């Protein structure tokens, strides 16, 4: 994966040169008609070309895009939650481009992807600066046919074998040092083959082994309770077993 940076006026783009060049034939991302620009990170660009094929629930309303034949992307704007969102939902304090949430997430995701860990391939991010603040958006490759673990739990479709695979996946990330600060059932996807994936690495980081690993699992357990009340022991037992079995 070759990450490259591009600046256009007050916009700073960090992109995977291989992903974007691959898409040029069908999307003309580098042509005069549709140049690689900050417009690619705006919903209007895709809507006017009738390339929005779906929308994900949750804060920020991520869009599913038909980037080219056989490949879809996810466009996710960065949105604040909690009380701070009442002041500003999209603006963050500018502390330098490499300290923006978008650049950090792309670099972290790319590093994990290069290790063969199950994260979506990052395509690009864009940071638009407004003096002392900035807004940002992220493009990643969509995992075909994937469903959130939360949905499977609610529907009673998360069996023991799947939960063991989820536990083993989490252990792999922990062995790589990933502290996922928002490890919940919505941020674990399961593809058509039953393989689990980890998404949304915003604010996550690599750390030495420590107590944060148990905190990650406790956060996930609270999420499981939310989507499958009364079944936490039945569901978490195989998940912990899969976690423990991974060498």
């Amino acid at each position: 994966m070759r990450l490259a940076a591009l600046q256009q006026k007050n916009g700073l783009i960090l992109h995977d040169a291989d992903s974007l060049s691959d898409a040029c034939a069908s999307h003309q991302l580098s042509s005069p008609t549709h140049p690689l620009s900050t417009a690619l990170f705006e919903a209007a660009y895709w809507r006017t070309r009738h390339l929005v094929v779906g929308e994900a629930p949750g804060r920020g309303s991520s869009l599913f895009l038909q980037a080219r034949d056989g490949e879809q992307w996810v466009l996710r704007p960065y949105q604040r939650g909690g009380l701070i969102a009442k002041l500003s939902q999209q603006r963050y304090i500018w502390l330098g481009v490499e300290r923006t949430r978008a650049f950090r997430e792309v670099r972290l995701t790319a590093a994990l992807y290069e290790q063969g860990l199950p994260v979506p391939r990052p395509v690009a991010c864009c940071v638009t600066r407004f003096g002392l603040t900035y807004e940002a958006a992220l493009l990643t490759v969509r995992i075909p046919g994937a469903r959130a673990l939360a949905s499977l739990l609610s529907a009673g479709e998360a069996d023991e074998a799947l939960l063991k695979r989820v536990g083993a996946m989490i252990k792999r990330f922990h062995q790589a040092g990933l502290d996922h600060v928002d490890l919940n059932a919505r941020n674990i996807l399961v593809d058509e083959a039953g393989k689990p994936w980890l998404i949304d690495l915003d604010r996550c980081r690599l750390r030495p082994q420590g107590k944060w690993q148990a905190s990650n699992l406790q956060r996930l357990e609270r999420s499981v309770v939310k989507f499958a009340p009364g079944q936490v022991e039945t569901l978490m037992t195989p998940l912990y077993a899969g976690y423990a079995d991974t060498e």
Side-chain angles (χ1 to χ4, degrees):
M1 182 173 293
R2 297 181 298 123
L3 294 180
L6 172 70
Q7 181 167 0
Q8 293 185 343
K9 296 183 179 179
N10 64 328
L12 299 128
I13 299 171
L14 181 65
H15 64 96
D16 173 23
D18 296 324
S19 289
L20 290 180
S21 61
D22 287 345
C24 288
S26 62
H27 228 320
Q28 300 177 305
L29 291 178
S30 61
S31 75
T33 306
H34 303 293
L36 173 57
S37 72
T38 56
L40 294 176
F41 301 86
E42 299 172 4
Y45 174 91
W46 302 93
R47 291 192 188 280
T48 56
R49 290 160 178 79
H50 307 291
L51 294 172
V52 177
V53 296
E55 187 169 336
R59 187 174 77 245
S61 298
S62 297
L63 298 180
F64 301 136
L65 315 170
Q66 194 63 53
R68 55 177 175 169
D69 292 341
E71 183 172 281
Q72 294 181 1
W73 293 348
V74 180
L75 172 61
R76 191 189 89 213
Y78 284 79
Q79 299 274 5
R80 287 186 178 277
L83 294 176
I84 193 68
K86 294 182 178 181
L87 299 176
S88 176
Q89 287 189 323
Q90 295 180 302
R91 295 288 178 93
Y92 298 86
I93 300 298
W94 176 262
L95 297 172
V97 65
E98 290 297 338
R99 295 183 66 182
T100 60
R101 291 167 72 151
F103 268 53
R104 283 183 169 183
E105 183 169 1
V106 167
R107 292 200 185 281
L108 175 59
T109 305
L112 295 171
Y113 181 87
E114 294 261 285
Q115 294 180 48
L117 289 162
V119 293
R121 184 183 180 99
V123 175
C125 70
C126 179
V127 172
T128 305
R129 186 178 179 184
F130 302 94
L132 297 178
T133 64
Y134 73 91
E135 296 180 1
L138 174 71
L139 284 168
T140 56
V141 175
R142 186 183 183 188
I143 301 165
R147 296 174 61 190
L149 178 61
S151 175
L152 297 173
L153 290 169
S154 297
E157 298 176 25
D159 60 22
E160 181 176 328
L162 171 60
L163 292 168
K164 284 185 176 180
R165 291 195 296 274
V166 169
M169 176 201 69
I170 294 170
K171 184 61 172 290
R172 288 183 63 198
F173 280 101
H174 281 178
Q175 289 174 327
L178 179 70
D179 178 6
H180 196 299
V181 296
D182 193 18
L183 186 61
N184 66 67
R186 285 199 180 101
N187 287 334
I188 296 172
L189 301 184
V190 181
D191 66 19
E192 296 171 320
K195 176 183 176 180
W197 299 71
L198 194 59
I199 64 169
D200 194 355
L201 303 186
D202 181 25
R203 298 181 296 115
C204 300
R205 55 177 173 160
L206 298 178
R207 304 178 64 184
Q209 307 298 304
K211 294 181 179 179
W212 57 266
Q213 295 154 298
S215 296
N216 280 185
L217 292 169
Q218 290 164 5
R219 186 179 185 89
L220 177 58
E221 185 169 326
R222 292 194 295 271
S223 178
V224 170
V225 171
K226 177 179 178 180
F227 293 105
Q231 302 180 58
V232 63
E233 184 174 350
T234 301
L235 296 170
M236 291 301 297
T237 296
L239 192 150
Y240 281 121
Y243 185 92
D245 286 345
T246 303
E247 295 297 331

